[in-house]
Amino acid sequence: MGILMEQVVDLNIMEDANVITGHEHLKDTTVEWVSVMEVPVENFVRKHEFVLTTGIGCTDDPILFEKFVKDVIHSGASALTVATGRHILDVPDRVTELAESYNFILIEIPWKVRFSDIIQEVIDAINQENEWERLQAEELRQRLTSCVLSGGSLQDILSLLHQRIKIPVAISDQRQMIRANFDFDSEVINVLNGHADGKIEKLDEPEVPLDEHPLYHHLDQYVVNDQTCYELSIFSNDKKQGYLLFNPNDTKDLSWFTMNALEHGLTACALYFLTENAIETTEIRLKDNFLLDLAKEKQELTTKIISKGELLGYDLTKSYACMVGDFKSKNMEEHENERSVQSSLHSLNYYVQKEITHASQQLQRVTMSTFDEGEVIIFIETDDFAYQENVNHFLDMVERRLHDQLTHLDLAWGIGFHRGSGNVFYESYQQARTALDIHTRQNGFGERTFFEETRVNRILMLMTKEDEVVKQVQELLQPLIEYDHKRNTDLIQTFLTYQKFKGNVSQTARALNLHRQSLLYRLRNIEKLTQLSLVDADDSFLLEFSVRLWMLNKFKD
């Protein structure tokens, strides 16, 4: 993601710039960042970086300046701009010859032009380009998903995809039969699928410029009769349904936007095959219902249930921890109708399921997962006394890859693990659901919560069943709540932070970004409104006990 050097040179701030070398590469050189660099370069310049320099330190040493330029070139920088007129009066001929020999873009600019202005305009241009690409990719994702849900064909999917990426694309099913084609050489596909004779070579690692893109790890590259093509496997419900093929003229065509578009196309193809395969859909429904019954119905793990699980591919004799996940997406909130919301939910579920499968394969642990009313329920095979480590490792892999693909996705998890016999799946689910609910009520949406971490809050929740306790807490906290509401302050949070740092005023003030005197004023207000002393152990305990109950959202009125 970024902009071309041609766009950089065309910026208003660069109107006095003089491109000395590399004119022919302005249209095909990408800039992803901009920086100011002086000697020494070492490893401080990264690939695709637009470098600015004053040449300070090289004023009377052209050989040193030549070495500096050479180091910048070898770092993989996109271009180098030299401010002339102060430390470097003119770019030496030997430096110009060096840049020409490497086909490197070398620019000079008058000393009067401020680097800060250049940096600001370049970064603004990069950000605008990145945002445009994100919006275009999101629009394509929605159109592809809507196409599938409205009964569109695989050819319709490829048509939408080809409009955006301008690269020949095709789809083969799991039997390696061509199902759709848009400008892709059919002979190449037939050779690749084994339906025609030809020379095929599979590369060990794909040669693409963006090996950090999540799609890279799912990519296969082939050379078929001297033509290079790429293949992505289409998975749906943990089964390979077919292949998405694409044939760029040059690897430079595989930009970040193109890779994102291909990934959305892959998702649309997976959804298409899912809706097409009625038998598989029935199997999915059976598995989902089975897992939901395991999680939400209180039942003994009988031989009959274990056998039914085996028929669906589940081994219920292993030890499993339960994870209940909830996710929020800003994109889903922006949809205007129920159909588009459902479309986005299906796409989101696909991404989550794909990463669950990937993580379980990488960790070689059995997982069982389902979605129900916006939440994901996962049972993962685990070791009895290392289950937290197993779960954290698994969720780290899932979340890292999800955040790379869905930047606006927020996740929250509750985790439970019931040791022993009996209703193990039901009890583990109840623990996970309780942990998620308690954390959300008290701290808001997000993060992971293990059931063991909620002991205090579970005890406090029992206290809320006592009417007299509720009444006393309401009477104690009402003045604080009313004061915070009227004055737009947060005395309750101030108190909790004060307790967190065990009454240390300095640490509390730093944490709240308050002046020490402002904090002391707030603490005096808390004491005045509650008629309690914060230095008295009993009073402090009573106030913290009350606040914790209130934070559980059991009684706000």
Side-chain angles (χ1 to χ4, degrees):
M1 301 176 73
I3 59 176
L4 298 176
M5 271 304 302
E6 183 181 46
Q7 296 171 263
V8 173
V9 174
D10 287 341
L11 293 173
N12 293 332
I13 192 65
M14 298 291 287
E15 62 180 355
D16 293 329
N18 174 34
V19 180
I20 302 174
T21 63
H23 302 79
E24 64 277 15
H25 297 291
L26 294 175
K27 293 184 178 181
D28 57 17
T29 301
T30 302
V31 174
E32 296 179 354
W33 197 246
V34 57
S35 67
V36 177
M37 179 58 56
E38 308 294 351
V39 291
V41 174
E42 296 182 352
N43 63 341
F44 296 114
V45 176
R46 61 185 179 182
K47 195 175 181 180
H48 301 307
E49 194 161 274
F50 178 42
V51 180
L52 310 173
T53 187
T54 64
I56 189 172
C58 305
T59 305
D60 300 317
D61 195 339
I63 295 179
L64 179 60
F65 183 61
E66 181 182 5
K67 181 180 182 306
F68 166 76
V69 174
K70 191 172 185 178
D71 289 343
V72 171
I73 294 173
H74 288 163
S75 70
S78 301
L80 174 66
T81 292
V82 182
T84 57
R86 186 72 172 270
H87 302 292
I88 303 295
L89 298 181
D90 294 294
V91 176
D93 292 341
R94 60 193 302 163
V95 171
T96 300
E97 293 172 0
L98 173 68
E100 287 178 340
S101 68
Y102 282 96
N103 294 318
F104 183 70
I105 301 172
L106 183 63
I107 303 171
E108 65 175 345
I109 198 164
W111 178 263
K112 65 180 180 179
V113 181
R114 292 185 297 187
F115 280 179
S116 59
D117 293 336
I118 298 177
I119 291 172
Q120 180 177 347
E121 288 204 22
V122 172
I123 291 177
D124 286 346
I126 292 173
N127 290 338
Q128 289 176 11
E129 183 72 16
N130 291 347
E131 178 63 12
W132 180 86
E133 288 190 0
R134 188 193 70 80
L135 293 174
Q136 292 295 309
E138 174 59 19
E139 180 189 355
L140 175 61
R141 183 190 68 80
Q142 293 183 18
R143 291 185 64 186
L144 287 170
T145 308
S146 297
C147 175
V148 175
L149 296 180
S150 61
S153 65
L154 288 174
Q155 190 66 29
D156 294 330
I157 293 174
L158 289 192
S159 178
L160 289 173
L161 187 59
H162 185 269
Q163 286 176 15
R164 294 302 178 89
I165 64 176
K166 308 300 182 185
I167 292 176
V169 285
I171 296 174
S172 296
D173 60 20
Q174 75 274 22
R175 297 169 297 174
Q176 296 184 319
M177 302 297 294
I178 301 175
R179 297 288 302 274
N181 189 346
F182 209 110
D183 286 350
F184 204 112
D185 188 343
S186 297
E187 292 185 10
V188 173
I189 303 177
N190 288 331
V191 172
L192 187 62
N193 289 341
H195 301 311
D197 294 332
K199 183 180 179 182
I200 304 175
E201 179 186 358
K202 182 180 180 182
L203 276 65
D204 293 334
E205 293 185 2
E207 295 177 353
V208 297
L210 297 170
D211 56 4
E212 70 273 18
H213 193 282
L215 204 61
Y216 174 82
H217 303 285
H218 305 280
L219 198 61
D220 291 321
Q221 183 177 358
Y222 296 89
V223 178
V224 181
N225 292 341
D226 298 325
Q227 287 195 51
T228 297
C229 65
Y230 297 85
E231 180 183 84
L232 287 165
S233 296
I234 303 171
F235 283 92
S236 178
N237 195 34
D238 299 338
K239 291 184 178 180
K240 185 180 291 186
Q241 300 285 359
Y243 307 90
L244 175 62
L245 309 170
F246 55 101
N247 184 20
N249 292 326
D250 193 292
T251 57
K252 293 180 180 179
D253 295 335
L254 299 179
S255 64
W256 194 275
F257 169 77
T258 300
M259 297 291 279
N260 283 341
L262 286 167
E263 187 163 22
H264 293 323
L266 196 66
T267 303
C269 292
L271 289 175
Y272 178 89
F273 281 115
L274 184 63
T275 58
E276 183 184 61
N277 194 334
I279 296 176
E280 184 173 321
T281 301
T282 302
E283 181 183 349
I284 292 172
R285 188 177 297 112
L286 289 172
K287 286 186 173 183
D288 285 346
N289 292 337
F290 178 75
L291 288 178
L292 289 175
D293 286 342
L294 274 182
K296 297 190 176 184
E297 298 293 331
K298 196 170 186 178
Q299 54 185 331
E300 293 287 337
L301 195 60
T302 62
T303 303
K304 181 179 179 180
I305 294 177
I306 293 175
S307 298
K308 185 177 180 180
E310 289 178 353
L311 291 175
L312 295 173
Y314 297 143
D315 184 356
L316 303 185
T317 62
K318 298 178 180 290
S319 294
Y320 291 91
C322 180
M323 294 164 279
V324 176
D326 196 5
F327 41 79
K328 289 183 178 180
S329 173
K330 297 178 182 178
N331 294 338
M332 287 179 63
E333 297 172 1
E334 294 170 358
H335 291 307
E336 297 179 354
N337 55 63
E338 182 178 351
R339 183 174 184 178
S340 58
V341 170
Q342 192 67 22
S343 164
S344 182
L345 186 60
H346 277 300
S347 180
L348 203 56
N349 288 355
Y350 169 77
Y351 274 110
V352 174
Q353 184 62 57
K354 183 178 73 171
E355 298 313 327
I356 290 172
T357 302
H358 177 267
S360 64
Q361 290 174 346
Q362 292 296 312
L363 298 176
Q364 296 183 343
R365 289 191 178 274
V366 177
T367 57
M368 305 182 295
S369 59
T370 184
F371 295 86
D372 183 48
E373 297 180 354
E375 73 176 17
V376 56
I377 303 170
I378 308 171
F379 289 100
I380 182 172
E381 175 194 0
T382 186
D383 304 321
D384 283 2
F385 298 101
Y387 94 93
Q388 291 195 7
E389 180 182 347
N390 298 155
V391 167
N392 279 325
H393 194 183
F394 174 81
L395 290 180
D396 284 344
M397 293 186 67
V398 170
E399 289 184 350
R400 180 172 59 251
R401 289 168 56 86
L402 276 177
H403 287 313
D404 287 341
Q405 300 173 65
L406 304 171
T407 56
H408 296 287
L409 186 69
D410 293 325
L411 292 163
W413 300 94
I415 303 104
F417 178 51
H418 178 74
R419 294 181 175 88
S421 58
N423 311 305
V424 290
F425 292 96
Y426 172 82
E427 295 295 343
S428 294
Y429 170 78
Q430 292 299 320
Q431 289 182 7
R433 183 73 258 182
T434 299
L436 180 60
D437 289 342
I438 288 178
H439 180 89
T440 302
R441 289 187 193 131
Q442 184 166 5
N443 302 303
F445 189 87
E447 301 183 2
R448 304 172 193 168
T449 307
F450 288 87
F451 182 71
E452 291 88 338
E453 299 170 354
T454 65
R455 291 189 181 95
V456 174
N457 286 328
R458 282 184 277 128
I459 293 173
L460 291 176
M461 289 176 67
L462 294 175
M463 301 297 295
T464 62
K465 298 178 181 179
E466 300 292 333
D467 293 340
E468 186 60 32
V469 174
V470 173
K471 180 181 177 182
Q472 291 294 329
V473 171
Q474 286 177 328
E475 292 177 355
L476 178 62
L477 292 184
Q478 196 63 34
L480 283 179
I481 297 171
E482 292 178 354
Y483 186 92
D484 281 345
H485 180 71
K486 291 179 181 179
R487 304 292 182 88
N488 195 27
T489 58
D490 200 349
L491 295 182
I492 291 178
Q493 187 59 43
T494 299
F495 170 73
L496 288 176
T497 307
Y498 180 72
Q499 290 293 94
K500 175 183 177 181
F501 291 105
K502 297 180 175 58
N504 187 302
V505 174
S506 298
Q507 290 181 338
T508 304
R510 282 195 297 270
L512 294 173
N513 198 24
L514 287 174
H515 189 275
R516 181 184 177 90
Q517 292 302 319
S518 297
L519 174 60
L520 293 174
Y521 175 75
R522 287 192 182 187
L523 296 177
R524 286 194 295 269
N525 269 344
I526 294 172
E527 291 181 326
K528 180 179 178 181
L529 291 167
T530 60
Q531 300 297 309
L532 296 175
S533 171
L534 298 185
V535 297
D536 183 276
D538 290 339
D539 285 357
S540 181
F541 169 78
L542 175 60
L543 183 55
E544 182 172 359
F545 170 81
S546 301
V547 168
R548 281 176 172 266
L549 285 178
W550 179 78
M551 292 290 288
L552 289 174
N553 285 340
K554 286 297 182 181
F555 41 84
K556 283 188 175 180
D557 299 328

